[in-house]
Amino acid sequence: QVGNYKRTVKRIDDGHRLCNDLMNCIHERARIEKVYAQQLTEWAKRWKQLVEKGPQYGTVERAWCAFMSEAEKVSELHLEVKGSLMNEDFEKIKNWQKEAFHKQMMGGFKETKEAEDGFRKAQKPWAKKLKEVEAAKKAYHAACKEEKLAISRETNSKADPALNPEQLKKLQDKVERSKQDVLKTKEKYEKSLKELDNATPQYMENMEQVFEQCQQFEEKRLRFFREVLLEVQKHLDLSNVASYKNIYRELEQNIKTADAVEDLRWFRANQGPGMSMNWPQFEEWSADLNRTLSRREKKKASDGVTLTGINQTGDQVSQPNKHSSSLSVQSNTVQSVQSSYNPFEDEEDTGSTVSEKEDNKIKNVSSYEKNQSYPTDWSDEESNNPFSSTDANGDTNPFDEDTPPAMEVRVRALYDYEGQEQDELSFKAGDELTKMENEDEQGWCKGRLDNGQVGLYPANYVEPIQ
């Protein structure tokens, strides 16, 4: 029918828009693959540090860490998927769209204009004859209506005795003319219909030809979409990737190598009755061994302060200290974990994304670690607290100095420090404390931790909080 070819023409414009939709679809999936890969890497890095620092040991520890290795390898594969989707599939659609659709200066596409011009040219002669048929049909129906009206008037006038013969004659003539008009318009109507019927085969052939051209163009797009979708499926289907299967085969082997008997044997030999003992033996008295030096004398005898257990807070993080009592990890890699942290809680329940959690401030995530040092003092006597304020005389207070008191200042630790003496503080890089006295000539300061413990620490281990 006239004008219905516009649906076929519109399909060309729809094809261009569908190319954009498919590219957007692939782009969003690639972004999901990238985010998932990043989350896997962050998760693996964080939990690998926690497991290595935690109390788990032996073959079960290695089996546990195998999950983090699996996550890192799977993350690499998903990054490869993201690269394939964007560098191959996305670019392929973009290039095909550019080659298949050509924009015009005045807007629209060249292919759309050619199809519309072809349909209009094929339809124009037949549409003209169809218009003539409609006009002839209208004239014929009007003549029939006029004939029926004239006959009705003539019939009514015969029953009217007041009507003179001259008026009756006029009505009869009107009827005759109406009949002649009906015959004439009918003949013209039939003639125009015959001409339209004769032109219809050629019209259908011309329209079919243009339509087939549009069909061929659409067929290319459909086949291309099918080809691209198959390639996307191959890129997404990791089950057919040999390296993907090897990851889980290796993970299964690592888990099966976990041996409880072997771990118990190792613990017995290293942490239990089988560990080497330094039994007490008789020792001769020696002046050098029994010479006790005060902390200030020790520090004064050396040329400088020896830095122990330094962990920089910059981009490079030193090897984690296995003997520390708590684990401090960088804010850009480890999620802040508080005492109420639930490791199985979904991201939706907390209302924050993984990336937001990773940016939290440094906090302790483990208060119990392997190789944790335990006190060896077995005496049942009350331990002497050098900082106790119950000493009436105050002679045992190691912080009695001649230096004038200074205002308290909040400082932040730059490095980890493990106290070497009872009167020294221990802290981690990033911890905050209060400086109570300024630096002395040996480079030491007196400070107080947030838990109330008071002691000394190296002055160059901290920086003031602005």
Side-chain angles (χ1 to χ4, degrees):
Q1 295 180 0
V2 176
N4 283 348
Y5 64 85
K6 293 186 178 297
R7 293 178 296 182
T8 304
V9 175
K10 184 177 180 297
R11 190 174 59 173
I12 299 177
D13 295 334
D14 293 340
H16 184 274
R17 190 180 70 252
L18 288 172
C19 288
N20 291 333
D21 293 343
L22 184 55
M23 284 190 291
N24 291 334
C25 178
I26 293 176
H27 182 265
E28 288 185 11
R29 178 58 185 267
R31 187 167 60 249
I32 293 174
E33 295 288 335
K34 180 181 178 181
V35 172
Y36 178 56
Q38 291 175 344
Q39 291 178 342
L40 280 178
T41 302
E42 293 169 357
W43 174 86
K45 188 174 183 180
R46 174 176 177 273
W47 276 101
K48 186 175 183 180
Q49 290 179 345
L50 292 178
V51 173
E52 289 177 349
K53 283 282 190 178
Q56 185 58 57
Y57 56 90
T59 58
V60 174
E61 178 190 1
R62 291 195 292 272
W64 193 346
C65 289
F67 281 99
M68 276 61 88
S69 300
E70 171 265 343
E72 292 174 348
K73 295 176 182 177
V74 172
S75 174
E76 294 177 358
L77 290 179
H78 281 280
L79 285 178
E80 292 179 2
V81 171
K82 175 257 179 185
S84 299
L85 291 176
M86 293 303 299
N87 298 331
E88 297 180 25
D89 303 330
F90 185 90
E91 290 296 327
K92 186 173 183 178
I93 300 173
K94 183 178 180 181
N95 294 332
W96 185 88
Q97 183 191 42
K98 187 176 181 180
E99 294 175 358
F101 298 90
H102 302 83
K103 291 186 177 181
Q104 297 184 119
M105 294 291 293
M106 301 301 293
F109 300 102
K110 178 182 178 183
E111 290 72 21
T112 303
K113 187 176 185 305
E114 289 178 351
E116 189 168 1
D117 291 345
F119 278 118
R120 187 183 294 110
K121 183 178 180 181
Q123 198 173 68
K124 187 175 182 180
W126 190 85
K128 182 178 181 181
K129 293 184 180 298
L130 178 63
K131 190 175 182 180
E132 294 175 356
V133 169
E134 291 294 334
K137 174 184 174 182
K138 185 177 180 180
Y140 169 68
H141 289 173
C144 291
K145 183 179 180 180
E146 188 67 24
E147 179 190 19
K148 184 178 180 181
L149 181 61
I151 294 175
S152 177
R153 288 176 180 175
E154 181 188 13
T155 304
N156 293 332
S157 63
K158 290 180 179 180
D160 187 6
L163 192 67
N164 56 38
E166 183 178 356
Q167 291 177 336
L168 182 63
K169 176 66 174 173
K170 289 182 178 180
L171 290 176
Q172 292 175 350
D173 293 341
K174 181 67 174 177
V175 171
E176 288 296 327
R177 288 196 303 271
S178 298
K179 288 182 179 180
Q180 292 178 0
D181 289 340
V182 167
L183 293 176
K184 186 177 180 180
T185 53
K186 182 178 181 182
E187 181 181 357
K188 187 176 181 181
Y189 180 30
E190 291 176 347
K191 182 179 178 181
S192 61
L193 271 177
K194 186 176 181 180
E195 292 178 353
L196 183 65
D197 291 341
N198 293 336
T200 298
Q202 183 65 37
Y203 160 70
M204 293 180 62
E205 181 180 351
N206 295 339
M207 293 292 286
E208 185 80 17
Q209 183 178 359
V210 181
F211 181 77
E212 282 302 320
Q213 294 176 357
C214 295
Q215 287 287 84
Q216 293 175 5
F217 183 82
E218 180 67 7
E219 182 183 9
K220 292 179 181 179
R221 186 190 68 82
L222 295 175
R223 291 185 181 276
F224 173 74
F225 270 39
R226 180 179 183 275
E227 177 185 348
V228 171
L229 292 175
L230 283 175
E231 292 182 2
V232 172
Q233 179 267 332
K234 292 178 181 178
H235 292 149
L236 295 177
D237 187 6
L238 295 178
S239 63
N240 292 326
V241 180
S243 58
Y244 188 75
K245 297 179 180 179
N246 293 335
I247 291 175
Y248 292 97
R249 190 179 298 113
E250 181 180 352
L251 176 61
E252 182 182 5
Q253 293 174 354
N254 289 330
I255 296 175
K256 288 182 177 179
T257 55
D259 189 348
V261 176
E262 176 63 25
D263 289 353
L264 294 175
R265 185 184 298 114
W266 176 91
F267 191 85
R268 178 183 181 86
N270 292 273
Q271 304 289 341
M275 65 186 297
S276 60
M277 291 291 295
N278 185 17
W279 299 105
Q281 297 179 359
F282 180 78
E283 298 179 6
E284 289 290 347
W285 180 87
S286 172
D288 293 335
L289 292 176
N290 288 275
R291 180 171 178 263
T292 58
L293 298 178
S294 67
R295 179 191 55 75
R296 293 306 173 95
E297 289 175 340
K298 292 179 182 178
K299 299 298 185 290
K300 192 172 183 180
S302 59
D303 294 336
V305 178
T306 303
L307 306 183
T308 59
I310 297 177
N311 284 337
Q312 296 184 5
T313 59
D315 295 335
Q316 297 180 351
V317 182
S318 63
Q319 183 69 19
N321 184 6
K322 290 279 186 177
H323 300 280
S324 60
S325 60
S326 62
L327 168 63
S328 294
V329 285
Q330 302 306 314
S331 62
N332 60 344
T333 58
V334 181
Q335 174 184 354
S336 169
V337 179
Q338 302 178 356
S339 59
S340 61
Y341 170 67
N342 181 1
F344 308 108
E345 185 175 284
D346 292 336
E347 291 178 10
E348 289 80 1
D349 296 336
T350 60
S352 60
T353 63
V354 172
S355 60
E356 291 172 348
K357 296 179 181 178
E358 300 301 332
D359 293 334
N360 286 340
K361 188 179 178 181
I362 302 173
K363 291 189 178 179
N364 294 332
V365 295
S366 177
S367 60
Y368 182 81
E369 301 172 5
K370 65 181 69 174
N371 299 331
Q372 183 176 4
S373 59
Y374 294 89
T376 58
D377 186 6
W378 52 270
S379 174
D380 57 355
E381 297 180 359
E382 184 179 357
S383 59
N384 182 26
N385 184 0
F387 312 121
S388 175
S389 61
T390 60
D391 187 16
N393 297 328
D395 295 336
T396 59
N397 187 350
F399 306 118
D400 288 343
E401 301 289 342
D402 297 334
T403 56
M407 295 182 63
E408 294 185 353
V409 179
R410 293 290 290 176
V411 294
R412 181 184 293 109
L414 295 173
Y415 318 101
D416 292 354
Y417 182 73
E418 192 75 21
Q420 306 299 313
E421 302 287 347
Q422 288 187 347
D423 59 350
E424 295 180 8
L425 298 177
S426 297
F427 46 76
K428 296 293 180 181
D431 290 349
E432 297 182 3
L433 59 152
T434 302
K435 183 176 73 171
M436 302 175 61
E437 292 185 3
N438 292 329
E439 178 182 358
D440 59 15
E441 63 274 8
Q442 284 83 26
W444 290 82
C445 287
K446 179 181 177 181
R448 180 178 66 250
L449 298 178
D450 291 341
N451 61 7
Q453 183 182 354
V454 179
L456 300 177
Y457 62 88
N460 56 356
Y461 270 55
V462 300
E463 65 175 357
I465 300 177
Q466 301 296 331

